[in-house]
């Protein structure tokens, strides 16, 4: 398991009975988690808010104690401080997936080593980029250019705010509000190349003109198209997924078929996880497949 166990400002305290309690800085939240299928230990922490699902779909936060509408937490990624805005939403999310820190450190180390070897023109493409955790990590670890692509203008705005919050405004980051498949096809036509590609595609979705995205049917073709954007000497390719139907080896085999067959290198794949600090084991939180040249 790729475990994100370097957090100070965040922790999963308890998990079970389809719920998890978390500390986000000084704020304590309880929200659903379908992976927590075991019984919950006694939760001794006082929650600021609990997310409750509605019988008609969706849900809302039940605030039990005074708390801010939004606040910031920090993460030390290989000695580089990143800072993110946290804001609970009506969809139970908070604007950050902390388990992804394991991936930030992984590709951050690759970028830093390449810079030390004299590569000062590294270009990274971040697709389905959400609020920019990976974008911030790419920028802080030395990418000369990071391209952040997401179809949601709201997520683009929050990613820009996270760049400012992380004091990375001097880094070259391009923000593109567009369907990722459409953007990739345009970049292929332009002959653009990238040294690293990051993607966190959804399980299901539709493009701007109704194109259907189903990860089981669409992932291989999309990765194959994205591979045409890799430079002659690429550094890494990272696929993350929260689709429970796909095991990590599925995306790993896609990378073996598409990327490793062409460039060599190594593929590793596993679940992403977070330590449950009060229970002594880890919470599965999705999966990642990683290809690297070295």
């Amino acid at each position: 398991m790729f475990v994100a166990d370097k957090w100070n400002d965040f922790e999963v305290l308890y998990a079970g009975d389809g719920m998890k309690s978390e500390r986000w800085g000084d704020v304590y939240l309880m929200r659903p988690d379908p992976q927590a299928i075991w019984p919950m230990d006694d939760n001794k922490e006082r929650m600021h808010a609990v997310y409750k699902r509605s019988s008609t779909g969706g849900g809302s936060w039940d605030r039990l104690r005074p708390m801010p509408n939004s606040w910031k937490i920090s993460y030390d990624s290989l000695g580089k401080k990143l800072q993110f805005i946290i804001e609970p939403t009506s969809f139970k999310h908070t604007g950050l997936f902390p388990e992804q820190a394991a991936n930030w450190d992984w590709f951050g180390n690759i970028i830093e080593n390449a810079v030390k070897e004299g590569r000062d023109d590294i270009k990274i493409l971040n697709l389905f980029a959400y609020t920019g955790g990976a974008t911030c990590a790419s920028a802080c670890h030395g990418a000369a250019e990071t391209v952040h692509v997401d179809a949601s203008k709201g997520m683009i705005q929050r990613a820009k705010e996270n760049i400012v919050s992380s004091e990375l405004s001097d880094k070259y980051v391009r923000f593109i509000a567009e369907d990722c498949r459409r953007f990739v096809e345009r970049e292929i036509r332009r002959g653009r190349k990238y040294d690293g590609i990051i993607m966190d595609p959804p399980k299901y979705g539709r493009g701007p003109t109704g194109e259907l995205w189903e990860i089981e049917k669409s992932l291989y073709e999309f990765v194959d198209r994205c591979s045409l954007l890799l430079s002659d000497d690429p550094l890494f390719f990272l696929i993350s997924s929260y689709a429970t139907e796909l095991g990590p080896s599925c995306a790993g085999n896609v990378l073996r078929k598409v990327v490793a067959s062409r460039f060599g290198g190594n593929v590793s794949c596993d679940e992403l996880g977070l330590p449950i600090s009060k229970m002594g084991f880890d919470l599965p939180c999705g999966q990642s497949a990683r290809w690297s040249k070295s």
Side-chain angles (χ1 to χ4, degrees):
M1 181 178 280
F2 303 137
V3 181
D5 56 3
K6 304 294 191 296
W7 281 96
N8 292 317
D9 278 3
F10 169 85
E11 63 179 317
V12 179
L13 300 161
Y14 297 92
D17 298 321
M19 300 290 288
K20 60 185 175 184
S21 63
E22 304 165 304
R23 178 181 63 83
W24 297 83
D26 295 327
V27 178
Y28 292 78
L29 303 177
M30 177 87 75
R31 55 185 180 141
D33 192 306
Q35 299 290 330
I37 63 172
W38 51 85
M40 172 84 79
D41 286 355
D42 289 339
N43 184 4
K44 299 178 175 61
E45 307 292 342
R46 288 185 62 201
M47 296 293 108
H48 286 84
V50 177
Y51 187 87
K52 295 184 176 179
R53 295 194 183 278
S54 168
S55 59
T56 58
S60 61
W61 290 94
D62 183 8
R63 297 199 176 203
L64 307 177
R65 291 201 282 159
M67 58 177 281
N69 291 326
S70 65
W71 63 98
K72 296 178 181 180
I73 67 170
S74 298
Y75 180 71
D76 185 318
S77 180
L78 307 179
K80 307 292 197 308
K81 181 182 177 180
L82 302 176
Q83 188 165 252
F84 304 105
I85 298 167
I86 304 302
E87 184 175 8
T89 71
S90 59
F91 300 102
K92 85 169 183 175
H93 297 303
T94 62
L96 189 70
F97 292 100
E99 62 273 11
Q100 289 291 338
N103 284 329
W104 305 338
D105 291 352
W106 172 74
F107 68 71
N109 185 61
I110 293 173
I111 293 172
E112 288 193 3
N113 286 337
V115 171
K116 290 176 183 177
E117 293 170 1
R119 295 186 61 170
D120 59 359
D121 59 347
I122 296 169
K123 297 178 176 62
I124 304 298
L125 175 61
N126 186 14
L127 299 166
F128 311 99
Y130 193 49
T131 58
T135 297
C136 290
S138 170
C140 84
H141 288 298
E145 177 183 355
T146 306
V147 179
H148 174 113
V149 187
D150 197 280
S152 168
K153 292 181 179 179
M155 295 300 101
I156 292 280
Q157 180 58 38
R158 179 47 50 87
K160 291 179 178 179
E161 293 167 354
N162 282 332
I163 284 285
V164 173
S165 182
S166 296
E167 299 182 357
L168 295 168
S169 299
D170 60 327
K171 305 298 183 181
Y172 184 34
V173 180
R174 295 171 55 212
F175 293 96
I176 311 293
E178 188 174 5
D179 174 76
C180 288
R181 285 192 288 187
R182 179 174 290 183
F183 175 81
V184 166
E185 292 302 323
R186 192 170 73 246
E187 292 290 271
I188 292 171
R189 292 194 296 271
R190 289 175 171 174
R192 288 269 293 174
K193 298 294 180 180
Y194 295 90
D195 302 296
I197 296 177
I198 303 161
M199 66 170 67
D200 188 359
K203 174 182 175 181
Y204 178 86
R206 286 193 179 276
T209 57
E211 307 98 324
L212 181 63
W213 170 275
E214 293 179 281
I215 193 167
E216 300 95 331
K217 299 177 181 178
S218 305
L219 183 63
Y220 177 84
E221 180 184 2
F222 184 64
V223 172
D224 191 43
R225 298 300 289 168
C226 288
S227 72
L228 300 178
L229 298 177
L230 289 171
S231 65
D232 292 337
D233 188 19
L235 297 173
F236 68 88
F237 200 125
L238 170 65
I239 304 172
S240 291
S241 172
Y242 291 90
T244 56
E245 296 85 354
L246 294 182
S249 293
C250 294
N253 288 340
V254 170
L255 289 179
R256 291 183 180 97
K257 182 76 173 175
V258 173
V259 183
S261 64
R262 176 181 169 193
F263 294 101
N266 300 291
V267 173
S268 59
C269 46
D270 210 333
E271 293 179 293
L272 284 170
L274 288 163
I276 308 173
S277 62
K278 304 295 185 181
M279 299 180 73
F281 52 90
D282 300 324
L283 177 68
C285 303
Q287 53 268 338
S288 286
R290 304 164 168 179
W291 172 85
S292 62
K293 186 65 178 294
S294 61

